[in-house]
Amino acid sequence: MIEVKNIVKKFGEQTVLKGVSTRFEAGMTNLIIGQSGSGKTVFLKSLLGIHTPDSGTISFDGRIYSELSNDERRELRTEIGMVFQGSALFDSMTVEENIGFPLKMFTNKSTKEIKERVDFVIDRVHLVNAHHKRPSEISGGMQKRVAIARAIVNNPKYLFCDEPNSGLDPKTAIVIDNLIQEITQEYNITTVINTHDMNSVMEIGEKIVFLKNGLLEWEGSNKEIFKTDNEAVTDFVYSSELFKRVRKMYLEDDVIE
């Protein structure tokens, strides 16, 4: 579980995060959404320790990050997996080399142990006949699977995903969403996803944090977001006819029930 209490982040005279407080539970897919400039990227980087908040606290299962020693922070980072927007795979490495890289860098596992773990996660993310291929030889969807496999190869407690569906067609994006949700629930990971994809909100938004102008404007589930009367949320989410129809469907289902 990650708990955020009243964090503020400034860059010069500009205050980007204005006292954000929320909680991300383990075993759930937690989504951060908002328009460009809302502060969601700065928020994600603050959670990752890339940005240091000017005030407020971020704690990982009770460990307040700002109070940890350098050694304790390094230990915490070994518990974090990251799926980058562009997958960030090493072009010169094969799929299995990419996935095994964190184990070689941050553990003392033997070559045999690394091979066994890599084979396991490759199978878990349903990569078929890809061990010895390079990123340029596989599809965008398969590259995302490799990125997810690399992120979970070290059994992380916390998984962060930055626009994991960027560049994917809608069908493949749904597959990746479902894979992330399955892994989150299966291994009880605290997963936080920064996204602009409203299909992800519909598919896997168990907890949604909506930021606007650096403030936490609304939070709730994907079912609750279709019922909210918060004008900022409805303007953002229902900007298309598709989502207007989806909201109408949810409301009608409530009436029927």
Side-chain angles (χ1 to χ4, degrees):
M1 185 263 286
I2 301 172
E3 189 168 11
V4 181
K5 292 184 178 179
N6 200 35
I7 64 167
V8 174
K9 181 59 186 174
K10 300 179 181 179
F11 293 94
E13 298 298 316
Q14 183 183 14
T15 303
V16 179
L17 298 177
K18 304 171 183 176
V20 176
S21 297
T22 191
R23 178 182 293 182
F24 300 118
E25 301 287 351
M28 293 178 62
T29 42
N30 302 277
L31 275 59
I32 305 169
I33 65 172
Q35 296 175 335
S36 297
S38 64
K40 64 182 189 295
T41 299
V42 172
F43 186 37
L44 183 68
K45 289 183 177 180
S46 297
L47 295 175
L48 285 165
I50 297 171
H51 293 321
T52 302
D54 294 284
S55 62
T57 60
I58 300 170
S59 61
F60 295 79
D61 291 304
R63 295 168 291 176
I64 299 175
Y65 187 80
S66 60
E67 297 179 359
L68 299 179
S69 67
N70 287 336
D71 286 343
E72 288 170 331
R73 291 184 183 188
R74 279 192 289 270
E75 177 64 26
L76 175 59
R77 290 187 188 111
T78 67
E79 301 174 6
I80 293 173
M82 180 72 198
V83 178
F84 298 93
Q85 182 172 345
S87 297
L89 303 178
F90 297 107
D91 294 333
S92 60
M93 293 183 181
T94 64
V95 164
E96 65 178 8
E97 288 171 341
N98 265 284
I99 296 170
F101 182 78
L103 297 178
K104 291 181 178 179
M105 287 293 293
F106 305 115
T107 75
N108 295 317
K109 291 183 182 294
S110 66
T111 300
K112 180 183 178 183
E113 289 172 326
I114 290 174
K115 179 70 165 60
E116 289 174 349
R117 179 61 183 168
V118 169
D119 287 344
F120 175 82
V121 294
I122 282 178
D123 182 64
R124 180 60 191 84
V125 302
H126 311 302
L127 279 166
V128 180
N129 299 323
H131 287 64
H132 304 295
K133 293 184 178 180
R134 300 189 188 279
S136 61
E137 299 174 313
I138 59 178
S139 67
M142 290 182 72
Q143 289 178 21
K144 292 292 184 180
R145 291 174 186 266
V146 175
I148 293 169
R150 184 177 62 184
I152 67 169
V153 73
N154 207 22
N155 289 312
K157 291 182 179 179
Y158 316 98
L159 177 63
F160 294 93
C161 305
D162 186 19
E163 302 286 3
N165 291 334
S166 177
L168 300 180
D169 64 84
K171 184 177 180 179
T172 303
I174 291 172
V175 171
I176 295 300
D177 277 342
N178 291 336
L179 177 59
I180 291 172
Q181 186 175 47
E182 287 171 11
I183 289 170
T184 296
Q185 295 173 349
E186 184 176 338
Y187 300 111
N188 199 38
I189 299 172
T190 303
T191 296
V192 181
I193 304 168
N194 186 20
T195 186
H196 69 275
D197 188 347
M198 289 300 100
N199 286 321
S200 296
V201 171
M202 292 175 64
E203 289 288 329
I204 62 169
E206 295 176 280
K207 164 72 177 283
I208 301 160
V209 168
F210 175 70
L211 299 182
K212 181 180 180 182
N213 298 327
L215 296 169
L216 195 156
E217 179 72 24
W218 182 89
E219 61 183 342
S221 70
N222 54 1
K223 290 182 173 61
E224 292 167 337
I225 202 170
F226 289 116
K227 304 172 186 176
T228 181
D229 293 325
N230 184 298
E231 187 174 342
V233 176
T234 55
D235 285 348
F236 177 75
V237 175
Y238 306 114
S239 57
S240 72
E241 288 301 319
L242 169 62
F243 284 93
K244 289 176 183 175
R245 291 197 298 271
V246 171
R247 187 189 192 205
K248 182 179 179 183
M249 177 188 70
Y250 269 85
L251 294 176
E252 287 176 348
D253 283 347
D254 277 355
V255 170
I256 292 171
E257 292 173 358

